[in-house]
Amino acid sequence: MTDGPRNLSNSLRTDRDHANDSSRPKAATPHQMILSYRIADSVEPTPLDARTFAQIRFGHRHLRSEDPRALTVGLAPLGPSQPLEHWGVERIEDLGWEGGMGFVEGEDLMLAHRLIEDTDRNALAATTEALYTEMLDLTARRGYPHPLRLWNLVEAIHDPADGQDGYRAFSTGRANAFDRAGFGIERIPAASAIGTHCGGLLVYGLFARSPGTAVENPRQVPAYRYPPEYGIRPPYFARAMRGAGGLSDRLFLSGTASVVGHASNHPDQPEAQLTETLRNLETLIEATGAPGGRRPDLLRVYVRAPHEIDWIEPTLRHWCGPATAIQYLRGAICRRDLAIEIEGVLEPCVAAN
Ligand code: 3EB
């Protein structure tokens, strides 16, 4: 669904005038550009102001609004969730819509999102490739050529598409687009790819002016080197990405599941999968050079079966401690035999650098 995201409202214009006011000094400390990244306990949209970079909510369907900073992702929040994601910045440089793509620019960081509602199942790879090509082109053209973190929401991810599993068709299109844009492996971002009940194909993500640093998990084969049994083209994502510049060394952990080597461990055993997933997260965090025992500040948990959160919640809370903000969303993991996937964000930590 679209609320007519074509024209910017008057109130927004005030923000833009403010942001573009050249008499304002450039931020002396661009490394502090992102003031906050938090999730909150609000289902209602809160008013966007001059310091709002993005406000992402979760609900029963994908929804864009006139203001490209507000986006609703069609995944239902579950249990004790905090279904609002808020990014605050020092100032907005520009924002708008171009060819159906919403974008927001801060100093060092760009948000881009694109929703294609009516995807042809017989052309999912081609649709994905076109969407990615457009997004990589627009972001690079506007000075943000480095994707750091991408979220992919794929309708009916396991249903056949192009004569194969939908996720594999999606992976093919994504890999082709990155190849076509001339990306080396070191520039492939952190990502999640989740199945939804409706909504076509939604991709949104963060792009930077300066390159981030990809981190791999020693327990896992890099996804872009998975053998062909997972698809003609492998899934192009890094296990984690550390942001540079205005991202203040924030660390984005990709969707992490019970995958060891390249195989799904404990197929269809959710409890063993959670244990394996947490081990993967611990190993990944360690691989980033963070202090031992460091836990993410934000966690987002995707579960296939909503009732599973009854036991996942206390186990996960015990693992991460009271300080971590956690979101639970209902979503299909991109491999049928996986029941749970967890992604996270680690806020800058002086000792980690
Ligand atoms: C895995 O480790 C599980 O295709 O973008 C996790 C994170 C997974 C991102 C993606 C897929 C993706 O292979 C699946």
Side-chain angles (χ1 to χ4, degrees), residues 118-153:
D118 298 307
T119 43
D120 174 357
R121 294 305 288 188
N122 296 315
L124 183 58
T127 302
T128 304
E129 185 174 342
L131 186 157
Y132 262 84
T133 298
E134 231 178 279
M135 191 173 274
L136 296 175
D137 177 65
L138 176 77
T139 48
R141 219 167 358 93
R142 298 193 69 101
Y144 299 83
H146 301 288
L148 295 176
R149 190 21 167 140
L150 287 167
W151 287 268
N152 305 282
L153 292 308

Side-chain angles (χ1 to χ4, degrees), residues 177-198:
F178 275 121
D179 285 353
R180 198 211 293 220
F183 272 65
I185 272 327
E186 73 291 347
R187 290 180 62 210
I188 301 296
S192 301
I194 298 295
T196 64
H197 290 302
C198 59

